[in-house]
Amino acid sequence: MNNEEPTRSGEWNGCTRESTTDWDLYHMLTEDKPVMISELVERSGWNRDVVEASLSRLEDACLIAVMGESVSLLSLSDMLMLNEMMHAPDMPVYIENGVIKAKKQC
């Protein structure tokens, strides 16, 4: 017999309201074209601050690219490359404003 209490929605596996918002927003994006932030605000029904905070977290997680007012999904290869660049300080390249640049060698 299982004596554990049933979990409430949003409490299992480290799931928070923010992560639920992020994934809901992520699934509103399409692979074939960028989506405007204003469209995400309208489609989600959330205020712009909530959408922008979520987009920031998704961008920090290397899942999307925010370019001005538009948002695009990153390809799997782009996600992997960004993560490797972020976590491997000895990489010979870096990204600045969406452009891959070579580090200066001493």
Side-chain angles (χ1 to χ4, degrees), residues 17-26 46 48-61 64 66:
R17 178 176 290 164
E18 284 181 347
S19 63
T20 301
T21 299
D22 296 350
W23 283 114
D24 288 346
L25 196 62
Y26 181 82
W46 303 319
R48 188 172 177 100
D49 291 339
V50 170
V51 170
E52 287 180 346
S54 180
L55 292 175
S56 179
R57 289 187 298 273
L58 290 169
E59 189 172 37
D60 289 346
I64 64 169
V66 179

Side-chain angles (χ1 to χ4, degrees), residues 1-82:
M1 176 179 250
N2 186 353
N3 291 333
E4 294 181 26
E5 290 183 31
T7 59
R8 288 174 268 156
S9 177
E11 291 184 2
W12 55 274
N13 227 4
C15 185
T16 64
R17 178 176 290 164
E18 284 181 347
S19 63
T20 301
T21 299
D22 296 350
W23 283 114
D24 288 346
L25 196 62
Y26 181 82
H27 289 290
M28 290 180 201
L29 301 172
T30 63
E31 291 182 29
D32 50 334
K33 66 178 178 133
V35 178
M36 300 303 291
I37 294 174
S38 58
E39 182 180 341
L40 293 171
V41 169
E42 183 179 318
R43 287 171 56 192
S44 68
W46 303 319
N47 70 45
R48 188 172 177 100
D49 291 339
V50 170
V51 170
E52 287 180 346
S54 180
L55 292 175
S56 179
R57 289 187 298 273
L58 290 169
E59 189 172 37
D60 289 346
C62 299
L63 296 172
I64 64 169
V66 179
M67 298 152 292
E69 287 295 309
S70 67
V71 182
S72 297
L73 291 174
L74 291 176
S75 67
L76 181 57
S77 59
D78 288 343
M79 288 179 201
L80 294 172
M81 180 186 64
L82 283 170

